[in-house]
Amino acid sequence: MTNRNTTFHILLAAQFALIAVSMLVNVKTGLFSMVLILSLTVICLIQLSNDKSTEWERGQNMMTWLFIVWLSYYIMEIMNPNCVLEAWNINITPYALIPLICAFVVPVVIRTKKDIELLLIVWSVFVIIFTLKGYWQKNHGFSTKDLYFLHVLGGARTHIIWSGIRYFSCFSDAANYGVHASMAAVTFSIASFFATSRWMRIYFLFIAVCGIYGMGISGTRSAMGVLMGGMLMITIIAKNWKALLGGIFISISVFVFFYYTNIGSGNQYIHKMRSSFHPTEDASYLVRIENRQRMKELMARKPIGYGIGLSKAGNFNSKEQMPYPPDSWLIAVWVETGIIGLILYLAIHGVLFAWCLWILMFKVRNKNLRGLVAAWLCMNAGFFIAAYVNDVMQYPNQLTVYTGFALCFAAPYIDRRISEEKGEKDEETKEKELIIN
């Protein structure tokens, strides 16, 4: 393993470590994450510049150009009359820097299938930590820090509810934990079919089970969107009629189970998940719909939004504040950057999904490689469904999501390398046969 690999994997691990450390002490995630990302990225780029085998053109891809456009719009938001520079500074890392860094660095650094598997292994270690913390909360009670969040900061209002307790592990809230757990469930369950060794396949399946457990105890309904979205996406990428029909059958079966039956409703977690299939019967959902209608009236005169980081009233002192909570990431983007910013944001991600799909379906021939990378893209598809329902673009999700997109742009180069290595082995085999004959 080279230094460039080590540094990038440390960068990924550091984002998860910040969440894990928050079990013990209060961590200003945004500030520490910015310092870690920028410092480790600089180190990685220095190492790459000293590596003669570095192909910089890999970083000059469609994803990089798309997020340069988004960064340009983000910079223009400074001119928003309602802009608060402190909020703008805090949000530049998750909004613009992480996507751009991943777009350029990942295709240059990740050069083999083993590099991708190692990324999954790094992530898996922290999935286990997050699962153990969630298990401990459920079976042994909350820590002093957890109780402070629940009873002093007001977390009990949304985490100790009619359906039972929603466990949040090391995360800021149960929604963030549940969505991250379901992201792991989708990624590792798909990756388990394409891992190199039998033991790794078993290990990845175990991590997927950990993810499903975490999703269950979080009581997060939006996590179902991650599973359903991921399931449907893999049927498209598979380019296989059996996989397509199988995926459609499973999706319909899940929908019928939750929508048309009451099986298992005695279990609080199944009951909670089932409620996500009946949103019109949910009071909180109806309140969100009403809030969005009121927001629409206010946003009509805010084409560039209220300003970056100002979707939630009270966090910063701004001239104007949105009186209604956004309750989801995509609604927050709309409130903060206006209809212009939202259209640009959705267009960039729509193009990104289409481009990544085209790469995997028509540019990558190695089935195992395509499956490993598809696992990340399927997770991303489900994640953005959840992003419409909940504010889930929080640490450490950003780096995971945009690494997934960037791996699609690295995949054709890795595929070419696999083909070249296979060709060399075939040539060696032929030469040996000639010598023997």
Side-chain angles (χ1 to χ4, degrees), residues 86-220:
E86 182 186 357
W88 189 94
N89 288 334
I90 289 172
N91 285 278
I92 191 171
T93 304
Y95 247 115
L97 291 185
I98 287 178
L100 192 55
I101 287 169
C102 288
F104 185 83
V105 175
V106 170
V108 178
V109 170
I110 304 301
R111 302 178 187 178
T112 67
K113 196 167 69 172
K114 286 185 178 179
D115 290 343
I116 299 173
E117 290 177 338
L118 189 55
L119 285 174
L120 289 169
I121 290 170
V122 169
W123 184 10
S124 72
V125 171
F126 291 95
V127 173
I128 293 172
I129 293 171
F130 302 151
T131 305
L132 289 173
K133 172 62 176 176
Y135 172 84
W136 188 270
Q137 285 179 336
K138 185 178 185 301
N139 295 279
H140 299 281
F142 293 105
S143 67
T144 304
K145 188 173 179 297
D146 296 336
L147 291 172
Y148 181 84
F149 163 72
L150 290 170
H151 300 297
V152 178
L153 299 181
R157 185 174 56 85
T158 53
H159 289 76
I160 302 176
I161 56 176
W162 59 269
S163 60
I165 300 174
R166 300 175 64 207
Y167 299 97
F168 49 92
S169 183
C170 314
F171 288 75
S172 58
D173 55 62
N176 197 19
Y177 173 47
V179 167
H180 188 87
S182 59
M183 289 165 65
V186 168
T187 308
F188 285 96
S189 59
I190 297 172
S192 66
F193 291 96
F194 303 99
T196 303
S197 68
R198 179 171 172 266
W199 289 110
M200 191 173 290
R201 288 194 288 271
I202 294 170
Y203 176 68
F204 284 175
L205 277 174
F206 167 71
I207 300 301
V209 171
C210 289
I212 291 171
Y213 174 80
M215 185 189 81
I217 65 172
S218 74
T220 303

Side-chain angles (χ1 to χ4, degrees), residues 280-296:
T280 55
E281 299 174 12
D282 182 59
S284 64
Y285 173 79
L286 295 176
V287 170
R288 290 184 185 189
I289 294 299
E290 289 177 12
N291 284 344
R292 288 173 188 177
Q293 288 300 320
R294 293 167 183 164
M295 285 179 183
K296 192 174 180 180

Side-chain angles (χ1 to χ4, degrees), residues 273-317:
M273 294 300 172
R274 179 165 281 123
S275 68
S276 65
F277 288 81
H278 299 273
T280 55
E281 299 174 12
D282 182 59
S284 64
Y285 173 79
L286 295 176
V287 170
R288 290 184 185 189
I289 294 299
E290 289 177 12
N291 284 344
R292 288 173 188 177
Q293 288 300 320
R294 293 167 183 164
M295 285 179 183
K296 192 174 180 180
E297 295 174 9
L298 295 173
M299 292 302 296
R301 56 186 177 84
K302 292 283 185 182
I304 59 172
Y306 277 77
I308 301 295
L310 304 178
S311 57
K312 296 176 183 177
N315 289 350
F316 300 94
N317 293 321

Side-chain angles (χ1 to χ4, degrees), residues 256-273:
V256 169
F257 173 80
F258 282 104
Y259 191 84
Y260 289 106
T261 77
N262 292 313
I263 299 170
S265 287
N267 181 286
Q268 68 182 71
Y269 303 114
I270 294 177
H271 181 70
K272 183 76 172 175
M273 294 300 172

Side-chain angles (χ1 to χ4, degrees), residues 28 30-31 34 74 77-78 80 82-95 306-310 314-318 321 336 395:
K28 291 185 177 180
L31 176 62
M34 179 186 289
Y74 188 93
E77 274 287 333
I78 292 179
N80 190 319
N82 203 43
C83 178
V84 175
L85 199 57
E86 182 186 357
W88 189 94
N89 288 334
I90 289 172
N91 285 278
I92 191 171
T93 304
Y95 247 115
Y306 277 77
I308 301 295
L310 304 178
N315 289 350
F316 300 94
N317 293 321
S318 55
Q321 294 186 341
E336 294 181 6
Y395 293 105

